[in-house]
Amino acid sequence: MTERKETPVMEIKEIRSRKKEFLPLLLMGDEEERMIDRYLERGTLYAAEIGKETAAVCVVTEEEGFAEVKNLAVAQEWRRQGVGRALLEWAGASYRDRYARLRLGTGDVSPALAFYRRCGFREIGRLQEFFTKNYSRPIYEEGRLLRDMIILEKTL
């Protein structure tokens, strides 16, 4: 069994300009720039800094009745250290006063699906063939083709 490290101390900042500078990190959470462009400017981008490094980003858009995490990306060297979970908890706490729910979507065979469930999200729907219809090339995770997007939600 691997020993769990303590979550590093992070400073989370809202990014108001030059959002595209975070594209290399955002592409870890969403593999196609064209898809990121659909939400990046209308969403609120947050960056989690650990020391002088930007370790994670989160884009939140606000819809009627819920806030939605469109992209959660953590640099490889900071994964499995509580950074993603801490950023989701921070987003939930930040939007709790205005929204009752926090929503997100992920692939149907994605390792992220289990992570989000451990963070308290539950499945509320599925967008059939989302990845095969909306991305210019097939996306594979753990050797399996991503097809459906699983919609998950958590009460704040």
Side-chain angles (χ1 to χ4, degrees):
M1 180 176 229
T2 357
E3 187 179 316
R4 182 149 170 86
K5 298 178 183 177
E6 275 191 48
T7 303
V9 176
M10 300 184 297
E11 181 179 353
I12 299 170
K13 297 179 179 180
E14 181 179 342
I15 306 302
R16 295 187 175 167
S17 63
R18 301 191 329 251
K19 293 179 180 183
K20 282 285 206 157
E21 289 180 9
F22 292 85
L23 189 60
L25 199 51
L26 289 163
L27 285 167
M28 291 179 184
D30 193 337
E31 295 186 18
E32 197 161 294
E33 184 175 353
R34 175 182 62 83
M35 295 299 282
I36 293 169
D37 287 342
R38 291 170 59 179
Y39 55 77
L40 186 58
E41 287 309 315
R42 70 181 171 89
T44 305
L45 177 65
Y46 300 97
E49 295 177 355
I50 300 172
K52 295 184 184 209
E53 293 181 50
T54 299
V57 294
C58 175
V59 179
V60 178
T61 58
E62 300 169 14
E63 305 292 335
E64 190 171 323
F66 63 90
E68 182 175 5
V69 175
K70 290 289 198 177
N71 188 320
L72 175 67
V74 177
Q76 188 67 41
E77 62 270 20
W78 295 104
R79 291 184 187 169
R80 303 182 93 55
Q81 296 184 47
V83 173
R85 177 184 293 272
L87 198 52
L88 283 175
E89 288 172 358
W90 178 87
S94 297
Y95 284 84
R96 182 177 294 126
D97 62 335
R98 292 176 283 159
Y99 298 96
R101 300 180 317 276
L102 186 62
R103 189 175 286 180
L104 55 82
T106 194
D108 55 342
V109 295
S110 170
L113 184 57
F115 164 73
Y116 292 129
R117 286 180 173 150
R118 287 191 308 273
C119 289
F121 288 83
R122 62 179 178 73
E123 185 174 335
I124 62 161
R126 177 179 293 249
L127 297 176
Q128 299 289 329
E129 300 297 328
F130 178 85
F131 292 100
T132 54
K133 289 179 181 175
N134 290 289
Y135 285 78
S136 62
R137 61 181 175 73
I139 299 173
Y140 290 88
E141 287 203 17
E142 298 192 347
R144 293 180 54 202
L145 177 66
L146 286 185
R147 293 184 181 279
D148 299 346
M149 178 185 282
I150 308 299
I151 307 301
L152 301 156
E153 192 172 84
K154 181 177 184 174
T155 301
L156 298 179

